[in-house]
Amino acid sequence: WVAGVKSDSAGDTRPRRLEREVRSVELLSSREKLMAGLPNFATYFGRDMMMTALMMRPIWRPEMSEHVIAGVLRKLGPGGDVSHEEALGGQAIRENAQEYTELVGGYSKSIRAGRKGAADSALATARSILADLQKVRENYHMIDDEFQFPVLAARYLADTALSAAHKRAFLLDTAGGGESRLARMLREMSLVSAMTGPYVLDPVATNLVGFVKRNTTHWRSASWRDSDDGYAGGRFAMDVNAIWAPKALEAISSTLAALASLGFKAQMLDSISPDLGPTPLGDYLTDPRSLRKAIATWKGARRHFEVGLGPGKIQERVGSKLAWLPEAERHYWERTMTDQGELGDSLRFLALSLDSAGRPIRVVNTDPATDLFLGADRDPEAVLGDVEPFMRPYPVGLFVGGLGPVAANDAYAPREVWVRFRKDAYHSPRVVWGREVNLFLLGLAARISQSFDASGRLRDATLEPYVHSLRDALEKTRAAVDTSGLEHSELWSYRIEDDRLVPSRYGTGSDVQLWSTTDLAVQFALSRLPPQ
């Protein structure tokens, strides 16, 4: 009954699964926010809400995007930062107590150094925290959500299902504080414009948007692969720089045009946000050509992450990685490679990240699924090039039969990266993420649909091989994930037993997870594909 899927006499369980997902969305929804998951993550996560809203747009009413946008803007930081996560209850107490302890320590140091003013300030702040240890705290240290917000906002403003009057009223609403939503939205877009500014002025790899230091030797993993070693120790994430940053700037351009059509001309925006003036966003507002130049520059950021390997190099690196594995795993993957007849072709992919010097850390990854989903303007050959690593069998590519595309393949990276991922498996070659599977399937379905006209005929007969390849990738991925029996989990893993790969749950995954419910959007998209 959902997305055209009906039960049959063979005992099809899909309707019940889809009903469970609908009820999961209901369970995770409140008037204030959408929670990320249950029983884990039962709180606001900006990234989870925005990614889910983007993926669910075809089946959600536009008011749901509005609800998510309002929630993000209500928690926006003073500098325009999007809150990644709110800390409630015991977590808030722990974080507030830690800050209190640090402030008291700072007070003591200032007293010993004779800095009375600094000491008094630290003590006053400490007292205010102690007075309300359960006060909700916001975590602003992620950076991908900054770039996701403009994309969601632009798509909301472009939605023809809402009237111009409705959109204006929403933007001018001051719910949650004295500022209008539009003023906060401009502040957020101004932050994004500033973050991307250095690369516009000098497009070298070290001017990309980078992570901050976590300690003296490590960069904080501040995008969706947010485990300690999720980006293999890299400073510049591919997803942030090659995908989200260009898309965010395009979205800002669309948003400024939409605001003008709603009656918010440049002079009015200046009065709503007086600080725009001498900022990159202010320049873009008065000189749209400079924004077009910035977009074009950032579209070239992809080149920093491009990696190409010939058969010889593949054989060398994969052989070294397999020799490093425990015997049972080594034997299984060696047999898999023999059965698949791999190593015959070269491999091209976008590296997971760059190191602090701007050099690619050669980890194959599923992040290009986001680009495929967002609809990057790429020709069929380029699209198939992005799809290829997903379908090359692991340990050469990402595809594992009976499991799905693993989140990463570190065979081509240095040994230290193998060790990192072995110790920290959350975003490693040991897991498949449901989020990434759904992004990939939605992206494939969209590309297939775009190849047909309204009557269900190919727009161009020469697209037939292209569409066939996309359908093949879609069906193989669906079959592998379905076979795992874990396709509705947040993420899942595997173990090798008796020379067999056995799919298994991942320990810290949520049973009810917000972006796992985006399978509803996947099923809807699949139901609308033209027949073969």
Side-chain angles (χ1 to χ4, degrees):
W1 57 274
V2 178
V5 179
K6 298 180 180 179
S7 182
D8 61 27
S9 58
D12 190 346
T13 61
R14 285 176 294 173
R16 281 184 289 166
R17 288 178 177 175
L18 294 172
E19 182 178 10
R20 181 181 186 275
E21 290 168 358
V22 171
R23 296 191 182 281
S24 294
V25 175
E26 294 174 346
L27 188 62
L28 295 170
S29 301
S30 72
R31 292 184 180 276
E32 179 187 350
K33 62 195 173 190
L34 302 180
M35 292 184 291
L38 290 172
N40 303 325
F41 316 120
T43 187
Y44 162 103
F45 277 74
R47 172 198 302 139
D48 298 52
M49 287 204 316
M50 289 187 288
M51 287 301 299
T52 300
L54 284 168
M55 297 165 77
M56 298 282 259
R57 285 190 73 248
I59 61 173
W60 272 1
R61 292 177 56 175
E63 286 84 355
M64 286 298 289
S65 291
E66 206 169 67
H67 181 51
V68 170
I69 290 169
V72 171
L73 291 176
R74 184 173 61 252
K75 293 175 171 292
L76 209 65
D81 306 73
V82 171
S83 173
H84 165 61
E85 175 188 1
E86 63 181 2
L88 304 172
Q91 181 66 20
I93 292 172
R94 285 190 294 273
E95 292 186 12
N96 281 316
Q98 181 180 356
E99 185 176 359
Y100 171 81
T101 301
E102 291 171 354
L103 285 164
V104 170
Y107 164 79
S108 300
K109 289 180 181 178
S110 295
I111 288 292
R112 289 195 297 271
R115 300 194 302 270
K116 186 176 184 302
D120 290 345
S121 176
L123 188 58
T125 304
R127 283 172 173 163
S128 67
I129 291 173
L130 188 61
D132 188 5
L133 281 177
Q134 294 193 63
K135 183 179 179 181
V136 176
R137 295 175 62 93
E138 305 294 340
N139 173 332
Y140 294 105
H141 65 233
M142 293 292 151
I143 60 176
D144 57 335
D145 42 22
E146 261 75 76
F147 298 93
Q148 291 161 359
F149 179 79
V151 177
L152 177 60
R155 296 189 181 195
Y156 162 75
L157 291 172
D159 196 326
T160 57
L162 296 173
S163 69
H166 182 99
K167 293 172 186 174
R168 281 195 296 269
F170 175 75
L171 292 171
L172 293 175
D173 197 319
T174 57
E179 279 187 307
S180 68
R181 292 191 180 112
L182 178 54
R184 298 178 194 184
M185 186 180 293
L186 291 170
R187 189 163 78 244
E188 200 282 338
M189 293 194 303
S190 183
L191 174 63
V192 170
S193 300
M195 291 173 72
T196 53
Y199 187 77
V200 175
L201 295 175
D202 186 9
V204 297
T206 49
N207 278 340
L208 293 167
V209 178
F211 297 148
V212 299
K213 278 286 185 71
R214 181 164 59 86
N215 53 40
T216 56
T217 58
H218 292 81
W219 303 98
R220 182 189 294 276
S221 295
S223 189
W224 87 270
R225 297 172 182 262
D226 53 2
S227 53
D228 284 347
D229 296 307
Y231 285 89
R235 179 183 180 188
F236 304 99
M238 184 274 289
D239 66 315
V240 170
N241 290 285
I243 300 173
W244 285 112
K247 280 296 180 185
L249 290 173
E250 286 182 322
I252 288 172
S253 178
S254 299
T255 296
L256 294 179
L259 291 176
S261 71
L262 292 173
F264 298 108
K265 305 299 183 184
Q267 186 174 0
M268 186 175 182
L269 294 181
D270 281 339
S271 64
I272 290 173
S273 185
D275 295 333
L276 278 183
T279 66
L281 183 61
D283 293 341
Y284 296 157
L285 188 60
T286 57
D287 181 13
R289 291 174 301 177
S290 64
L291 179 50
R292 289 195 291 271
K293 177 186 175 184
I295 294 169
T297 300
W298 267 98
K299 283 185 175 180
R302 181 185 177 98
R303 72 183 189 276
H304 302 296
F305 299 88
E306 292 175 342
V307 175
L309 301 172
K313 193 66 174 178
I314 293 172
Q315 185 169 16
E316 174 194 332
R317 296 305 301 158
V318 172
S320 295
K321 174 65 187 293
L322 295 186
W324 179 79
L325 292 175
E327 182 179 358
E329 290 185 47
R330 179 171 67 251
H331 182 265
Y332 177 83
W333 293 117
E334 286 176 343
R335 180 170 58 81
T336 298
M337 288 180 62
T338 300
D339 292 346
Q340 296 285 349
E342 258 296 0
L343 298 179
D345 296 322
S346 299
L347 178 67
R348 301 191 67 83
F349 61 92
L350 295 177
L352 178 64
S353 62
L354 309 180
D355 65 18
S356 58
R359 296 170 300 214
I361 299 176
R362 297 184 302 186
V363 175
V364 194
N365 60 91
T366 54
D367 288 351
T370 298
D371 210 23
L372 192 68
F373 163 72
L374 292 174
D377 184 19
R378 295 173 61 72
D379 60 48
E381 183 179 355
V383 170
L384 292 178
D386 287 344
V387 170
E388 182 193 4
F390 286 83
M391 305 317 298
R392 292 285 291 271
Y394 185 84
V396 173
L398 299 171
F399 187 79
V400 179
L403 191 76
V406 291
N409 179 354
D410 57 5
Y412 313 110
R415 182 184 293 255
E416 65 189 59
V417 175
W418 307 347
V419 175
R420 282 177 180 270
F421 278 135
R422 198 72 181 182
K423 292 179 179 178
D424 185 359
Y426 198 47
H427 297 97
S428 76
R430 300 288 304 188
V431 297
V432 176
W433 275 80
R435 159 199 149 121
E436 298 295 274
V437 169
N438 289 348
L439 283 168
F440 188 53
L441 294 177
L442 286 170
L444 290 172
R447 299 292 176 153
I448 293 169
S449 295
Q450 290 163 7
S451 301
F452 291 84
D453 61 24
S455 67
R457 295 181 179 179
L458 278 175
R459 297 183 183 278
D460 186 331
T462 62
L463 291 173
E464 186 172 356
Y466 166 68
V467 171
H468 176 77
S469 295
L470 295 181
R471 286 190 187 273
D472 185 57
L474 189 151
E475 293 305 325
K476 285 183 177 178
T477 301
R478 288 182 67 196
V481 170
D482 288 349
T483 301
S484 77
L486 297 163
E487 66 271 28
H488 297 289
S489 302
E490 181 185 8
L491 70 163
W492 56 97
S493 185
Y494 67 87
R495 60 185 184 275
I496 305 298
E497 289 184 356
D498 300 325
D499 210 24
R500 294 183 304 113
L501 184 141
V502 181
S504 58
R505 284 178 57 91
Y506 191 89
T508 61
S510 292
D511 292 325
V512 177
Q513 218 283 340
L514 185 60
W515 59 31
S516 296
T517 66
T518 58
D519 176 63
L520 291 165
V522 171
Q523 297 304 321
F524 179 75
L526 297 181
S527 73
R528 295 169 66 87
L529 286 179
Q532 297 192 52

